[in-house]
Amino acid sequence: MPSKRDFLPQLVGCLSTGAAGNPTVEMIEAAFRHHDLHWRYINTEVLPKGLGDAVRGLRAMDYRGFNCSLPHKVTVIPHLDGLGQSAEVMGAVNCVVRRGDQFIGENTDGKGFLRSLQSLVDPRGKRVVVYGAGGAARAIAVELGLAGVGQLTVVNRSAERGEALLKILRERLQLNASLVRWEGDHAIPADTDVVINSTSIGLYDAEARVPLAVDSLRPGMVVADVIFSPPQTRLLRDARARGCRTLDGLGMIVNQGVIGVQYWTGIEPDARVMRVAVAEALGVPVEG
Ligand code: NDP
């Protein structure tokens, strides 16, 4: 007897403007294929004026969830039924999960970073320096705060964005946090455990220098970069030469994808398969 085939995959996807440059689809679909999941991830171009209609369309088509990337991470919120804790604190959503008949907004950027970090160090009680105060920094800092980090210093060039992040960290998370205005080379305090570049310095430029005093990087520190292309940034090369352990931005992308697939399907996907797929899509070495 021929078996009855199922021609209807479960659907997830991504809404963004500039969707053609987003390689996430390759990584997620590699996981679906690897785990023999009858799921598809559809990458779609959605302009700001069409966002509400797009989300209503996904509901009508029974989507199990979706990613949303720039410029929709904040404006998608009124179209959702609720928010997870960190998404609510940071006021930004990059991953929507259907729970029952509700679309719930989560933020997996910071959670992806945290998972990478936890492969080397438990941030609980640790002293952390974060460079930058944009979207990536906010996601990382809030997730570190929820994970019980001991002391967090935000170093940022513009006071405005730095102060906005500090307000969230202090008022929403009661975190021991401070802001340093970034002028010249920043000297990392000697008792720092974790150093994170969450600025865009280094994107597509392997020689770009994060303005910090390289001799203040000490063995024993963990140094992480959000930059995924190239994964081996100048900061990470300098840090390794100084005896630090390092984490590249590819790990953050992969782990946010891993968490998204887990949220949607309930399956823990193979992170290695996803790393190979996204590195290939970005045209960067798998090992960084
Ligand atoms: P934003 O534009 O929101 O923020 C950029 C931050 O970088 C700001 O704090 C800005 O400071 C700072 N910055 C930029 N250039 C300089 C400079 N020359 N000197 C000092 N500070 C500078 O960007 P995002 O936070 O969304 O993204 C930051 C980077 O993170 C991007 O490269 C992005 O590709 C990457 N990213 C990686 C992810 C991953 O999974 N690996 C996920 C998300 C993002 P100021 O406030 O003074 O302007």
Side-chain angles (χ1 to χ4, degrees):
M1 282 276 288
S3 64
K4 191 160 179 270
R5 288 180 58 195
D6 174 0
F7 296 104
L8 186 65
Q10 301 285 349
L11 295 176
V12 286
C14 185
L15 311 182
S16 68
T17 308
N22 188 339
T24 301
V25 53
E26 295 294 314
M27 171 175 84
I28 304 283
E29 292 229 311
F32 290 165
R33 282 192 300 275
H34 181 77
H35 295 284
D36 212 11
L37 292 167
H38 193 24
W39 286 60
R40 293 300 308 274
Y41 183 99
I42 315 292
N43 191 28
T44 42
E45 180 79 6
V46 176
L47 295 176
K49 66 176 172 24
L51 181 62
D53 286 341
V55 176
R56 279 188 288 279
L58 301 190
R59 283 186 199 275
M61 290 185 287
D62 206 24
Y63 267 52
R64 302 296 298 271
F66 59 95
N67 282 137
C68 59
S69 193
L70 297 177
H72 306 313
K73 290 186 179 188
V74 176
T75 48
V76 75
I77 291 174
H79 303 293
L80 304 177
D81 304 301
L83 296 177
Q85 186 185 18
S86 62
E88 194 272 320
V89 172
M90 64 185 87
V93 163
N94 76 331
C95 181
V96 175
V97 188
R98 204 184 75 200
R99 300 196 175 113
D101 60 358
Q102 298 203 315
F103 272 163
I104 305 298
E106 299 281 359
N107 197 302
T108 56
D109 278 334
K111 290 186 204 298
F113 176 83
L114 190 64
R115 201 187 254 232
S116 276
L117 184 64
Q118 283 165 334
S119 70
L120 290 186
V121 65
D122 179 353
R124 217 167 316 160
K126 297 292 189 298
R127 304 174 80 85
V128 179
V129 171
V130 174
Y131 292 102
R138 181 177 291 216
I140 288 169
V142 166
E143 216 62 64
L144 285 171
L146 291 171
V149 75
Q151 209 268 328
L152 204 151
T153 304
V154 175
V155 182
N156 201 53
R157 185 178 57 176
S158 78
E160 246 175 281
R161 275 211 266 204
E163 277 158 14
L165 177 52
L166 256 285
K167 192 170 153 66
I168 292 176
L169 298 177
R170 286 192 180 141
E171 293 180 11
R172 296 297 314 274
L173 302 178
Q174 286 76 49
L175 206 64
N176 178 7
S178 57
L179 177 63
V180 172
R181 184 78 183 272
W182 202 351
E183 284 160 337
D185 284 359
H186 178 254
I188 302 161
D191 58 358
T192 302
D193 301 298
V194 179
V195 177
I196 303 162
N197 173 41
S198 54
T199 72
S200 41
I201 301 170
L203 188 64
Y204 308 129
D205 181 355
E207 298 309 319
R209 200 174 81 83
V210 176
L212 58 80
V214 173
D215 60 4
S216 66
L217 289 164
R218 289 177 173 77
M221 290 180 180
V222 170
V223 179
D225 206 322
V226 297
I227 298 301
F228 49 80
S229 183
Q232 284 314 309
T233 58
R234 181 167 174 175
L235 172 64
L236 296 190
R237 296 195 309 271
D238 284 347
R240 264 204 311 278
R242 300 271 311 160
C244 308
R245 291 180 294 164
T246 62
L247 290 165
D248 67 35
L250 222 43
M252 179 175 170
I253 291 196
V254 170
N255 280 315
Q256 60 94 358
V258 164
I259 295 165
V261 171
Q262 260 177 341
Y263 274 149
W264 295 324
T265 69
I267 280 180
E268 160 98 37
D270 186 326
R272 179 74 193 166
V273 166
M274 295 174 74
R275 185 169 172 113
V276 170
V278 76
E280 200 169 286
L282 288 165
V284 301
V286 176
E287 299 313 332

